Amino acid sequence: MEWWVSMPKIELHAHLNGSIRDSTLLELARVLGEKGAIVFSDVEHVIMKNDRSLGEVFKLFDLIHILTTDHKTVTRITKEVVEDFASENVVYLELRTTPKKNDSIGMSKQSYMEAVIEGLRAVTAVDIDFVPHKINTQDSLNSIAMNDACDGTRRKKTYVRLLLSIDRRETTEAAIETVKLALEMRGLGVVGIDLSGNPDVGEWNTFLPALKFAQEQGLYITLHCGEVPNRREVQPMLDFLPQRIGHAIFFEEEEWRQLKSSKIPVEICLTSNIKTESISSIDIHHFADLYNAKHPLVLCTDDAGVFSTSLSNEYKLASTAFGLGKREMFELARNGIEFIFAGDDVKQYLVGAFDSAAKKLN
Ligand code: 5GP
């Protein structure tokens, strides 16, 4: 197995509906096509298309949501997405999704999230830990040791935590509803709030009351920031001091300075940025500048299904593009532990898992 696949990894920026397998999407489209709800041949090429602008990506999400928004399908895709990440040795996954309401099928934001939780419970391929509880340090050290002892036949363990996304199309009230739901679901592994959706839509001030409320209540916050040039947003977002930001592409000099001095960790999604043509070529990607400045960074997939990538692939790509070796990539992955939204007990477990994997690194 290649080192970028076998080494433990931490995924902190993955959208549930963007991470669906193509094969599942095609199957769902075929079924809806047979029912006459859509024309399969019209959507097949949209699903299989490889390169899309950012605008086209959001059109694709509208199609994906038509295919996936029912309780059974939400449960299925959650299970598959978690199993896919676990299969490439993601030991900690923060999965984000936008709770959806669809009265015609009796779906509320809460029932949508219950379907997600059902999906986590349905995972069989690996052991999943998603409900926060005090981890007994000795037990967790034993479980790492046991994993090492029975290499090959061992059961893998993946920690999963959830972020609820506010879509930029939503109103202030809808955003607050999402934050309240996140607070109610803290006992089920919800740790934070994400602001995402088409960056050309909506205003920062619309979401601010909900994000402030979330912050006051102790939820962690990550914002999609600087995906398109928008002078009115980047600075207020940085002033808000979220725990992390995603992308950070279209920044001015002063905003780079503010980001670097604030030390806000950046979720870097290389393939996504290149495929959406937000960045014209990997060798001018800001990863290099931030990495050299020792700014806190974590490599992520964004939408592994939509962009036909995987977290292993992102590590391989960064290694090749920026001339970083196996050890440097391992350290980069390990540094991600610092930026997770789960508690210190989970961090401690992950440190143990990385220490144990480090012994096998040669
Ligand atoms: P979901 O929240 O439905 O599980 O995942 C898909 C949604 O995540 C999209 O409809 C969109 O709101 C958000 N999303 C996925 N990828 C991106 C991205 O690259 N940028 C932004 N701003 N939002 C995204």
Side-chain angles (χ1 to χ4, degrees):
M1 197 187 282
E2 307 285 6
W3 61 263
W4 47 84
V5 182
S6 63
M7 78 175 204
K9 289 174 288 294
I10 287 179
E11 170 63 83
L12 301 183
H13 187 135
H15 298 268
L16 173 61
N17 276 285
S19 307
I20 307 175
R21 301 171 186 165
D22 280 348
S23 57
T24 299
L25 271 186
L26 285 173
E27 186 191 319
L28 295 169
R30 214 169 269 125
V31 170
L32 280 194
E34 279 159 17
K35 287 184 183 160
I38 57 166
V39 179
F40 178 71
S41 55
D42 285 355
V43 300
E44 185 184 16
H45 73 278
V46 182
I47 293 172
M48 296 315 290
K49 192 175 170 205
N50 206 8
D51 292 327
R52 304 178 174 88
S53 68
L54 198 58
E56 284 174 323
V57 164
F58 288 102
K59 285 197 193 120
L60 175 64
F61 279 124
D62 287 340
L63 168 64
I64 292 178
H65 290 146
I66 292 171
L67 300 178
T68 62
T69 308
D70 74 75
H71 295 108
K72 228 174 84 200
T73 308
V74 170
T75 297
R76 170 184 173 176
I77 60 175
T78 304
K79 175 182 188 287
E80 289 180 356
V81 166
V82 170
E83 289 186 345
D84 287 350
F85 277 115
S87 74
E88 52 159 345
N89 295 305
V90 170
V91 285
Y92 177 89
L93 164 65
E94 254 167 46
L95 191 60
R96 54 185 80 188
T97 193
T98 321
K100 295 169 187 73
K101 199 179 174 131
N102 185 342
D103 292 337
S104 68
I105 56 161
M107 178 181 279
S108 63
K109 285 189 174 186
Q110 180 169 347
S111 72
Y112 175 93
M113 284 311 300
E114 283 163 0
V116 170
I117 300 289
E118 266 313 295
L120 297 182
R121 293 196 209 282
V123 171
T124 49
V126 288
D127 288 336
I128 293 295
D129 183 309
F130 69 94
V131 178
H133 55 91
K134 215 60 231 127
I135 300 169
N136 176 317
T137 310
Q138 193 50 50
D139 283 356
S140 84
L141 291 176
N142 287 346
S143 99
I144 294 167
M146 229 170 67
N147 279 349
D148 284 349
C150 34
D151 219 358
T153 56
R154 71 193 190 202
R155 286 217 24 108
K156 285 190 200 158
K157 178 168 179 165
T158 300
Y159 280 87
V160 181
R161 294 293 184 266
L162 298 170
L163 306 181
L164 303 198
S165 301
I166 294 170
D167 186 319
R168 295 181 60 106
R169 287 179 289 198
E170 291 186 287
T171 60
T172 304
E173 292 68 34
I176 289 176
E177 188 190 345
T178 296
V179 174
K180 286 186 176 159
L181 181 59
L183 291 169
E184 282 163 26
M185 297 190 73
R186 271 176 152 168
L188 290 167
V190 174
V191 287
I193 295 289
D194 154 58
L195 175 66
S196 54
N198 192 337
D200 288 322
V201 174
E203 295 281 330
W204 169 244
N205 281 338
T206 307
F207 318 113
L208 190 55
L211 293 166
K212 269 192 183 150
F213 174 52
Q215 201 174 45
E216 283 157 13
Q217 295 296 316
L219 286 166
Y220 292 95
I221 293 173
T222 176
L223 305 172
H224 282 64
C225 181
E227 270 182 299
V228 292
N230 185 342
R231 295 283 64 76
R232 279 177 303 127
E233 271 201 358
V234 172
Q235 208 200 328
M237 282 185 170
L238 294 177
D239 290 343
F240 182 78
L241 290 179
Q243 275 72 30
R244 299 195 306 254
I245 59 170
H247 299 295
I249 303 167
F250 292 96
F251 276 32
E252 301 279 317
E253 268 316 299
E254 180 45 37
E255 293 158 350
W256 284 121
R257 259 197 298 278
Q258 187 176 349
L259 174 69
K260 285 178 186 168
S261 70
S262 70
K263 299 260 188 282
I264 298 170
V266 182
E267 304 152 358
I268 296 278
C269 309
L270 296 171
T271 299
S272 162
N273 296 161
I274 300 299
K275 287 210 173 170
T276 57
E277 293 165 4
S278 305
I279 292 182
S280 58
S281 140
I282 188 117
D283 30 273
I284 57 156
H285 197 285
H286 49 289
F287 171 92
D289 176 49
L290 292 175
Y291 182 86
N292 291 332
K294 298 196 178 353
H295 189 84
L297 292 179
V298 58
L299 287 180
C300 304
T301 52
D302 202 8
D303 300 293
V306 167
F307 299 124
S308 306
T309 188
S310 64
L311 194 54
S312 309
N313 187 51
E314 296 304 297
Y315 274 81
K316 179 182 166 203
L317 181 61
S319 164
T320 315
F322 306 111
L324 300 172
K326 183 163 58 169
R327 279 178 194 284
E328 289 154 310
M329 297 311 292
F330 184 88
E331 279 313 307
L332 184 67
R334 186 211 286 264
N335 290 344
I337 299 173
E338 280 306 304
F339 325 133
I340 70 169
F341 290 170
D344 286 344
D345 48 349
V346 179
K347 287 186 180 171
Q348 211 177 338
Y349 172 87
L350 294 173
V351 167
F354 273 86
D355 282 350
S356 154
K359 288 185 205 140
K360 290 179 230 147
L361 211 64
N362 45 43

